Amino acid sequence: MYWNDLNSQLKARYGAKVYKLALSSGCSCPNRDGTLDTRGCIFCDGAGAFAEVGEIADQYAAAKRRVADKAGEGARYIAYFQSFTNTYAGAERLRALYIAAMEPEDVVALSVATRPDCLPPEILELLAELNRQKPVWVELGLQTIHPATAEYIRRGYDLPVYERAVRELKQRGITVVTHQILGLPGESREDMRQTAAYIGRSGADGIKFHLLHVLRGTDLADRWQAGEVPVMELEEYIAALEDCLRHIPREMVVHRLTGDGAKRDLLAPLWSGDKKRVLNAIHAAFLHHDLEQGSALL
């Protein structure tokens, strides 16, 4: 059994557990501010969208307190700008935010979640500059390679845009992590497998797998409640996940095996709300099936 999990990679590199601390940049999104659309992606609830954010130092301290009980002495951290499109602002504004987030000595890397269509040259150069100080990861929300699904979820850009973003980032030595959602409406296991295999060939360094969640207040919720959108059972999700892992290179780092939506807003699938149970089931299945990442590529 083998998959190239992020936690093991980080512990081997830094000699300690490394935790991600979620920070807010207050950035908007072209899929919400009217540039592309005003509705956002179909699964996005927009919670807290674009609100003014507190000082990064205060956010960092609060995030660190939230993990204090399990982190312990000697822990290290990744400053993670998570929600919405965290390169969708002027370079000087972002420079101040990123530098403040990277400043603490126990922060070992900066991770920035964004869209592939929101990486203009000045932002790419800023990221490259900061990457010379501490490692910088850029997380790209691809979700799927299939045009019909991309249109359904209102992603708002085509595949060549993603390919150009990966190429530009890698030319600057920046680590790229690509997000894929399993269980998108209308997609078969073969469709999901094809997306994973494509990500594995795309030049990305890492991959994050997410389960499609139905969250209260989203357009997806309306369609789910109308009976138009089925959701995956746990066993289906694990089978699809295993397929995907077998079709990505052994050296690709797996940053996440699943995601868990906010329980207060989760409508379906309800089994995903018990993260510990889900991860235990995934690991048990991997062991039972002797899962080997990349085995389909041999």
Side-chain angles (χ1 to χ4, degrees):
M1 181 182 72
Y2 168 80
W3 78 98
N4 191 13
D5 67 293
L6 175 65
N7 285 338
S8 297
Q9 292 280 334
L10 292 173
K11 194 164 186 181
R13 180 169 182 179
Y14 298 108
K17 177 72 173 176
V18 181
Y19 295 87
K20 271 191 167 182
L21 300 181
L23 306 173
S24 176
S25 67
C27 286
S28 179
C29 173
N31 226 5
R32 282 189 169 275
D33 71 358
T35 302
L36 296 174
D37 207 315
T38 58
R39 300 168 294 172
C41 293
I42 194 172
F43 46 74
C44 181
D45 64 352
F50 330 136
E52 290 296 321
V53 299
E55 294 292 331
I56 292 297
D58 295 335
Q59 291 190 50
Y60 170 76
K64 198 170 173 180
R65 285 194 296 271
R66 286 194 287 272
V67 299
D69 288 344
K70 57 184 178 180
E73 190 174 350
R76 297 290 183 267
Y77 304 97
I78 295 167
Y80 181 28
F81 287 97
Q82 180 178 18
S83 298
F84 306 109
T85 307
N86 294 286
T87 59
Y88 194 52
E92 290 311 305
R93 176 172 179 264
L94 292 173
R95 178 189 300 276
L97 293 174
Y98 295 164
I99 289 176
M102 296 171 72
E103 187 175 22
E105 188 175 344
D106 52 7
V107 169
V108 298
L110 170 72
S111 186
V112 179
T114 191
R115 294 170 55 93
D117 56 351
C118 292
L119 289 166
E122 63 273 18
I123 300 301
L124 288 166
E125 292 310 312
L126 170 61
L127 294 169
E129 173 193 328
L130 298 178
N131 191 51
R132 292 190 284 271
Q133 301 174 28
K134 289 183 179 180
V136 172
W137 305 349
V138 172
E139 303 197 16
L140 300 175
L142 177 65
Q143 322 308 2
T144 181
I145 62 169
H146 301 288
T149 312
E151 182 178 0
Y152 183 87
I153 65 176
R154 301 197 298 255
R155 189 179 66 191
Y157 67 84
D158 295 328
L159 212 49
V161 177
Y162 165 81
E163 293 168 355
R164 182 169 61 250
V166 174
R167 185 169 61 251
E168 295 278 6
L169 290 164
K170 295 306 299 175
Q171 285 173 354
R172 292 165 172 81
I174 295 167
T175 296
V176 177
V177 182
T178 301
H179 292 224
Q180 177 180 358
I181 295 178
L182 305 184
L184 287 169
E187 290 207 346
S188 65
R189 271 177 57 179
E190 175 61 23
D191 292 329
M192 298 176 226
R193 184 186 307 128
Q194 289 172 2
T195 293
Y198 167 85
I199 293 170
R201 299 189 302 268
S202 71
D205 304 280
I207 189 168
K208 268 189 175 180
F209 293 104
H210 300 264
L211 165 72
L212 180 69
H213 296 107
V214 181
L215 299 178
R216 186 175 286 106
T218 63
D219 289 350
L220 182 65
D222 294 339
R223 299 185 190 191
W224 173 75
Q225 287 167 332
E228 299 173 14
V229 177
V231 293
M232 299 181 92
E233 297 297 335
L234 176 57
E235 295 75 15
E236 290 179 287
Y237 181 80
I238 294 173
L241 177 64
E242 289 181 323
D243 273 355
C244 290
L245 286 166
R246 293 187 184 103
H247 284 81
I248 62 173
R250 287 177 67 83
E251 64 272 16
M252 176 166 269
V253 180
V254 180
H255 286 239
R256 178 177 286 174
L257 293 172
T258 187
D260 51 333
K263 291 183 182 179
R264 66 182 181 276
D265 296 321
L266 180 65
L267 296 177
L270 293 178
W271 57 261
S272 67
D274 188 345
K275 187 174 182 179
K276 184 175 181 180
R277 171 180 171 254
V278 172
L279 288 175
N280 286 342
I282 290 172
H283 294 157
F286 286 3
L287 183 63
H288 179 71
H289 299 136
D290 193 20
L291 176 95
E292 289 288 325
Q293 181 176 326
S295 60
L297 305 178
L298 300 177

